[in-house]
Amino acid sequence: MGYAQLVIGPAGSGKSTYCSSLHQHCETTRRTIHVVNLDPAAENFDYPVAMDVRELISLDDVMEELGLGPNGGLVYCMEHLEENLDDWLDEELDNYLDDDYLVFDCPGQIELYSHVPVLKNFVEHLQQKNFNVCVVYLLDSQFMTDVTKFISGCMASLSAMVQLELPHVNILSKMDLVTNKKDLGDFLDPEPTFLLSELNQRMAPQYAKLNKALIELVNNYSMVSFIPLDLRKEKSIQYVLAQIDTCIQYGEDADVKVRDFDPEDDE
C-alpha cells in the first residue's frame, strides 16, 4: 500500500515551501518521501522533483499554442493530465515501491478542487493503485485574524472536502511571519458562539440568518480546526506530519508515540 499527501490551497498559501520543508525534515530524520510537481506553471523548486507534470504538458506551451489565458490554460493542462492518467501517471508510478510516500504539490487555482472534477478523478486513480490519500489544505495565517476572512477560508476548505471526499488536515501556514500569534488564538479551535457573535458585529442585521446558517454548516462538518505550522520549528513540522500520517494510517504497525504540541511552545 502506498501513501500520498495532496497539498492544496489558494495561490500564495505556501504549498511549495511546505513541500520543501517537509522534504528537508524527512531527510534529516532519515525518512524517505518523494515530492511530485502537479503545477504546469511552476518554474523553480527548492526540493528534488520526483515526478513533474511539465514533462507531460506545460502552461507556457498551452498559452502559446492555443492562445489561452493563465486560468483557462491551467484548466486545459489539468484536463490533459486527467486524460493521461492511465499512461503518463501509471508509467511514473511504476518507478516506486508499493509502500512509498508521495507528496503532490498542486496548483493554487481554487476551481481545480472546488468544482472541476480533475483532482477528484486523479485521487480516485491513486486509490485504485492502492494509495491511501490525505488532503493537506493550507491557508495563510496572516489573513486569518478577521472573522469574515476566517469564514471565507473555512468555506473554501469545506468545498474541497466535499468535492474530494478525503481525510482532511487544515494547516495555518506562514506562522513564522505572524507578529502577534495571540491574535490567532480565537481561530485555531473556535467556539461557534464566538464566531457567530463576531460575524454579526461586522455585518449588517439583514445577514443574521445567513451568518447563523454558515456557522452551523461549518460546525456540523466539524472542520473548524486548524493546525498552526511554523517552519522554523522542527517540533511544529513533526506534529503536522504525525497528524497526516495518522489520517493515512502510515506506520500503523510501528509503536509511535506523538507528544501533544502546544502552539504557544517555543515562542
Side-chain angles (χ1 to χ4, degrees):
M1 176 177 291
Y3 306 92
Q5 294 183 29
L6 198 68
V7 183
I8 64 176
S13 59
K15 295 181 294 296
S16 294
T17 303
Y18 163 81
C19 291
S20 174
S21 299
L22 185 64
H23 183 271
Q24 292 176 14
H25 171 79
C26 290
E27 201 171 43
T28 302
T29 57
R30 298 183 179 180
R31 173 174 168 179
T32 301
I33 66 169
H34 308 280
V35 186
V36 179
N37 173 48
L38 280 189
D39 187 354
E43 295 180 353
N44 302 310
F45 303 98
D46 292 328
Y47 54 79
V49 182
M51 288 186 270
D52 193 346
V53 72
R54 296 176 306 169
E55 295 176 358
L56 174 67
I57 190 170
S58 72
L59 179 60
D60 288 341
D61 292 343
V62 169
M63 292 174 62
E64 182 179 346
E65 295 177 14
L66 301 180
L68 296 174
N71 289 330
L74 182 60
V75 172
Y76 179 91
C77 289
M78 299 306 289
E79 289 177 343
H80 184 74
L81 168 63
E82 182 183 7
E83 294 170 358
N84 287 271
L85 294 178
D86 291 328
D87 299 320
W88 179 79
L89 182 61
D90 284 357
E91 183 179 338
E92 293 290 336
L93 290 176
D94 286 342
N95 297 322
Y96 298 93
L97 302 174
D98 291 340
D99 60 348
D100 274 337
Y101 197 117
L102 304 180
V103 178
F104 292 92
D105 187 2
C106 298
Q109 273 65 15
I110 193 170
E111 61 267 26
L112 293 176
Y113 44 84
S114 61
H115 58 274
V116 176
V118 172
L119 283 183
K120 179 177 176 62
N121 294 333
F122 179 85
V123 165
E124 290 177 351
H125 191 83
L126 286 178
Q127 291 172 329
Q128 291 171 7
K129 293 294 180 181
N130 205 26
F131 275 86
N132 279 357
V133 187
C134 173
V135 169
V136 180
Y137 190 95
L138 270 68
L139 282 172
D140 189 337
S141 58
Q142 297 181 87
F143 297 98
M144 301 301 286
T145 56
D146 179 85
V147 67
T148 54
K149 295 177 182 177
F150 175 79
I151 294 299
S152 177
C154 285
M155 297 308 294
S157 175
L158 181 57
S159 177
M161 180 187 296
V162 172
Q163 170 78 356
L164 297 174
E165 298 180 334
L166 288 172
H168 215 78
V169 176
N170 294 304
I171 294 176
L172 283 184
S173 63
K174 304 184 181 181
M175 287 293 292
D176 51 311
L177 301 180
V178 177
T179 54
N180 189 359
K181 292 183 173 59
K182 292 183 179 180
D183 291 340
L184 292 174
D186 293 329
F187 298 102
L188 291 178
D189 193 13
E191 290 292 332
T193 52
F194 164 79
L195 292 177
L196 183 59
S197 174
E198 290 291 306
L199 204 55
N200 285 334
Q201 289 180 27
R202 285 167 172 76
M203 299 184 68
Q206 60 263 36
Y207 295 110
K209 289 185 178 179
L210 175 62
N211 294 341
K212 185 174 184 293
L214 286 173
I215 298 303
E216 288 178 350
L217 174 65
V218 173
N219 185 55
N220 289 342
Y221 273 84
S222 300
M223 57 78 60
V224 188
S225 179
F226 292 88
I227 302 175
L229 176 61
D230 188 337
L231 295 176
R232 299 171 302 178
K233 303 172 183 177
E234 286 296 314
K235 282 197 306 182
S236 182
I237 301 174
Q238 181 182 2
Y239 181 79
V240 166
L241 184 56
Q243 300 304 305
I244 298 168
D245 287 346
T246 300
C247 287
I248 56 178
Q249 300 176 315
Y250 176 80
E252 62 178 4
D253 295 331
D255 185 16
V256 180
K257 295 182 179 179
V258 180
R259 184 177 69 85
D260 289 339
F261 170 71
D262 185 346
E264 297 297 326
D265 287 352
D266 295 339
E267 286 188 359

